Amino acid sequence: MYIERGKPDEIPKGAIRLTKDEVLEYMTDLIHKWPNTMELWALKHGNPILASSVVISSAVILNFYRKKLQLRNYGRFTLFLPIVLAPSIFNQIYQNSITTKSIILQEDCPICINTQSMFIQLGTGIVYPLFSSIGGTYMFACKMSTYNLKSSGSKIVKEFALHVMKISRPLYNRLTAFVIGHVLLSYMISHYQMNNLEFLRIKMLQQQNEEIETLRSSEQIRNK
């Protein structure tokens, strides 16, 4: 079945109208059942690849602050779940429900889709892990007394900010590399996802044309 987005006055006679949810469900099922994985690799495995990259950057950021604050093995699992595992899950959910959905339903322009994917990737792979790592590791560091605030009152915020900036300097190069990596990876995956969908649409159109020709041939044979 070939699916095409169109205005009400452009819909030909005999065409079946589908809701967005029905189109999304049909196309998603078709993608998962497609026999040749390499032909639709970005639509099938692109989002898990993006989620895996979030795990890598989040784990590096978390381990950096753990080492700087000398946490050793204390709170490793407690911090791993919300800082490393959670953003990768949210990344998968957001990429599927926003980026991939926009691609399949053809709701946004290619630049908009690429931008959406980039923001999701940077938010879940850099921004959230960075701030949650700082907050989580410093909380455990205060409990273990590996770091204590000496100031009081309003000066605590300034002391805390200066200490974070000081120990974070060696991380800046890695953060820059992660930002560039996430941007390029999200752009590449979303770009190939759009190419995969176009390939799928062409295949569906070819299949429909073949079915129409088969029906015409069978009708001609019957009429003879």
Side-chain angles (χ1 to χ4, degrees):
M1 181 174 65
Y2 179 71
I3 298 176
E4 182 67 36
R5 182 185 179 93
K7 297 179 181 179
D9 56 342
E10 297 175 348
I11 299 176
K13 293 182 180 180
I16 301 174
R17 296 192 181 189
L18 299 175
T19 64
K20 290 183 178 180
D21 292 336
E22 289 173 337
V23 172
L24 185 62
E25 182 180 357
Y26 175 81
M27 293 298 292
T28 302
D29 184 63
L30 181 63
I31 290 167
H32 287 309
K33 292 180 179 179
W34 195 257
N36 192 336
T37 302
M38 291 305 299
E39 291 178 345
L40 302 178
W41 71 268
L43 286 172
K44 279 190 173 184
H45 307 298
N47 292 343
I49 292 172
L50 293 175
S52 299
S53 67
V54 168
V55 171
I56 295 173
S57 60
S58 300
V60 171
I61 293 171
L62 175 59
N63 288 332
F64 173 83
Y65 286 103
R66 285 183 58 84
K67 289 181 180 179
K68 286 294 181 179
L69 296 173
Q70 301 175 0
L71 294 182
R72 299 177 184 177
N73 292 323
Y74 186 73
R76 183 180 295 276
F77 183 72
T78 306
L79 291 173
F80 179 85
L81 288 177
I83 297 176
V84 178
L85 185 60
S88 66
I89 295 174
F90 284 122
N91 178 273
Q92 181 89 336
I93 293 172
Y94 291 145
Q95 292 288 4
N96 285 331
S97 61
I98 298 176
T99 307
T100 307
K101 182 180 179 181
S102 295
I103 292 172
I104 292 176
L105 298 180
Q106 304 175 40
E107 293 181 326
D108 299 307
C109 65
I111 296 176
C112 298
I113 292 172
N114 290 332
T115 304
Q116 288 172 357
S117 181
M118 288 179 191
F119 274 111
I120 293 172
Q121 201 65 21
L122 291 176
T124 56
I126 301 294
V127 178
Y128 173 81
L130 180 62
F131 285 101
S132 57
S133 293
I134 292 172
T137 53
Y138 271 89
M139 181 183 68
F140 277 100
C142 291
K143 287 184 178 180
M144 292 186 63
S145 298
T146 58
Y147 171 73
N148 292 310
L149 293 167
K150 300 177 182 179
S151 304
S152 59
S154 61
K155 293 182 180 180
I156 291 179
V157 177
K158 183 178 180 180
E159 180 189 349
F160 174 72
L162 290 174
H163 190 269
V164 171
M165 292 175 64
K166 180 180 178 181
I167 69 169
S168 299
R169 286 172 186 169
L171 184 63
Y172 290 162
N173 290 335
R174 274 175 276 184
L175 282 178
T176 303
F178 282 138
V179 169
I180 296 173
H182 280 304
V183 168
L184 292 178
L185 184 62
S186 61
Y187 176 84
M188 182 187 73
I189 293 295
S190 59
H191 173 74
Y192 281 108
Q193 284 178 337
M194 286 184 278
N195 287 348
N196 284 176
L197 182 69
E198 187 62 26
F199 168 83
L200 183 59
R201 291 177 68 251
I202 292 172
K203 285 291 185 180
M204 292 170 67
L205 180 60
Q206 290 175 350
Q207 183 180 2
Q208 178 177 278
N209 291 335
E210 290 174 0
E211 291 174 353
I212 293 173
E213 288 297 326
T214 303
L215 289 173
R216 287 177 179 174
S217 300
S218 60
E219 287 179 0
Q220 289 176 357
I221 292 173
R222 289 176 184 177
N223 294 330
K224 287 182 180 180

